[in-house]
Amino acid sequence: MHAIAAVQAIVTADEYDREPTAAELDAIETEMPLIRAEVELLDVQIALLDQAPSELSTRRLRRARRRVLAARRELTNRVTATAGEAA
């Protein structure tokens, strides 16, 4: 029986095994309102998979979509304003 050995010296260490940098954490924090809005929209969509659409569920879905759009707009405006200040 032959032993299986790693060809490379370090098999498990790659760039994905490191902790996030401060800049990456700041980027996540900046995008967090959009992430939350998208998760809420996904929750609404999942909840509506089993139901017949009602007026209330339609409103709930529309509201969640509007929150995602508003969060995207806010994030885009913030990034654009920051890029304008840097230039």
Side-chain angles (χ1 to χ4, degrees):
M1 185 166 185
H2 297 291
I4 299 174
V7 177
Q8 299 173 349
I10 302 175
V11 176
T12 58
D14 62 9
E15 69 179 70
Y16 300 110
D17 288 340
R18 63 174 175 73
E19 295 293 321
T21 64
E24 291 170 335
L25 291 174
D26 288 342
I28 292 170
E29 187 65 33
T30 301
E31 294 178 11
M32 193 52 80
L34 175 59
I35 294 168
R36 284 191 189 111
E38 288 176 337
V39 168
E40 182 180 341
L41 174 60
L42 185 60
D43 286 344
V44 170
Q45 290 171 334
I46 289 170
L48 296 178
L49 286 175
D50 298 359
Q51 304 175 9
S54 67
E55 185 179 337
L56 183 62
S57 62
T58 304
R59 274 192 256 156
R60 185 175 171 209
L61 181 60
R62 194 170 41 232
R63 220 176 294 128
R65 285 181 178 151
R66 275 190 258 143
R67 284 189 195 111
V68 169
L69 290 174
R72 284 183 185 160
R73 183 187 65 232
E74 297 265 336
L75 182 60
T76 302
N77 289 341
R78 189 177 319 147
V79 169
T80 303
T82 304
E85 291 173 6

